[in-house]
DNA sequence: GATATAATTTAGCTATACCTAAATATGGGT
DNA sequence: ACCCATATTTAGGTATAGCTAAATTATATC
């Protein structure tokens, strides 16, 4: 079986939405994720449903079936493998690779991606800290990781991921000297705007707004 | 400007056909190359013509304009770079890479392909002996190369390319121990069926039929 | 110069994948 | 139990990219 780019993107969107807690992706949420319109999603979901890749209870959301989940996971695997390749071997920056991976993830070949995986020695994480599924769809689970926004004061943590892979966000982090592995402690939180003040080995009293602290994933050490 | 997969494939087909001597690709020849129908080509050519990528004189063939030629060359560059990467770095065999490259060649990014080129240290030939255009479209010209079928008796030559990249043909060559660089001499030619008998360092009296000798490109030493 | 053959184009149809605007259904709150 | 804001679907349209079958056109041969 081979699926179209749009089908794969739709399955991936549903995966991402349902993974983030939602109990079934709404037509609207999927449309937002795909930057398309709800009516287009209705049609796409109908087709995916006929192919047995999703379960759709109108007004109650779309869920991936087991085959649908397998395909979505495979697309995510490919995306993350390519991002890793582009950064580690072609010397792209972490803020440059997402859009390229959006194209490359649709190349139709398990063999290619398994060889790419092997070539890189089976990397476990992509440049943004996201776990890379192995060929059976298994990946390291991120238990213990949480948004910086939810870290208690005076806890030593290190950055393990970013929720937002947009160039703008990643460039901001670069500009602040924050990257995967950077160790941080929350010194103060301001109720006024939910901003947090953090310190690292290199920098003291760095003020991060709520948007930033929500999009930084960290893990206590 | 960004072009669709079908547009790129059509331009590439016209390039290949006109390169092989034809004075303008006929609708039928293009259709055969693309494994599509003449009527589909008519429509495609109309669109390419409106975009200024081809000149079409009905019943006298389609020719690439300078912009059309640039795009076709770029697609060929990408195809050959990917084939080289797949063979040299992911350990694919030379008979496995063509179809994958047909997909990868449409990834829309000069930056990616220039970096891939650099990563491989600017290879000059792909795994089938075809010259790889550089980022300005220039490539080594194959003057002096000719089909084995046209080599005079007792001339020492070596294999520099294959005209046919199909898995079937390449597997046949593998099976006969013939590969790029192999040195050959034509011992005898048989008028009956245009077959030739060749010798290499490893093998004496190997009989090759016309189809094979036409698809093997060699160069005198 | 007429004509037949083969190449080419046109007409009309299908499928995917988008869109906007209009219609409709639902579930939470009253 | 009802209503309505909102989510969702339907209707109808566009563009790309195929297809088959029918019509048309040019060229090469007689
Ligand atoms: Mn990404
Ligand atoms: Mn990523
Ligand atoms: Mn090839
Ligand atoms: Mn090749």
């Amino acid at each position: 079986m081979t699926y179209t780019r749009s089908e794969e993107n739709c399955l991936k969107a549903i995966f991402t939405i349902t993974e983030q807690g939602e109990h079934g992706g709404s037509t609207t949420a999927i449309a937002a994720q795909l930057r398309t319109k709800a009516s287009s999603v209705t049609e796409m979901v109908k087709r995916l449903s006929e192919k047995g890749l999703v379960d759709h209870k109108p007004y109650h959301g779309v869920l991936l079936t087991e085959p649908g989940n397998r395909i979505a996971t495979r697309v995510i695997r490919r995306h993350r493998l390519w991002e890793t390749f582009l950064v580690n071997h072609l010397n792209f920056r972490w803020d440059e690779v997402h859009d390229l991976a959006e194209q490359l993830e649709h190349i139709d070949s398990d063999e290619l991606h398994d060889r790419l995986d092997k070539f890189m020695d089976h990397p476990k994480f992509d440049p943004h800290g996201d776990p890379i599924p192995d060929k059976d769809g298994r990946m390291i689970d991120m238990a213990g990781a949480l948004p910086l926004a939810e870290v208690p004061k005076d806890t030593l943590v290190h950055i393990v991921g970013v929720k937002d892979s947009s160039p703008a966000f990643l460039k901001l982090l670069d500009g602040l000297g924050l990257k995967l592995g950077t160790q941080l402690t929350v010194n103060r939180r301001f109720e006024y705007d939910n901003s947090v003040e953090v310190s690292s080995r290199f920098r003291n009293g760095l003020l991060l707004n709520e948007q930033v602290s929500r999009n930084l994933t960290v893990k206590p050490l």
Side-chain angles (χ1 to χ4, degrees), chain A residues 79-80 83 97-98 126-130 165:
Chain A
H79 184 101
R80 294 179 182 168
E83 286 189 341
V97 296
H98 180 78
D126 84 359
H128 311 106
D130 290 312
S165 293

Side-chain angles (χ1 to χ4, degrees), chain A residues 8-9 12 40 49 53-55 65 67-68 94 105 113 120 139 148 153 159 161 164 195-196 198 217 221:
Chain A
E8 289 189 344
N9 282 337
K12 191 172 54 142
S40 306
S49 181
L53 301 174
V54 302
D55 272 333
T65 61
W94 71 337
E105 70 189 8
H113 293 96
M120 298 190 291
M139 57 184 129
L148 178 64
K153 258 203 321 188
I159 299 176
D164 174 359
S195 58
V196 294
V198 299
T217 306
L221 278 161

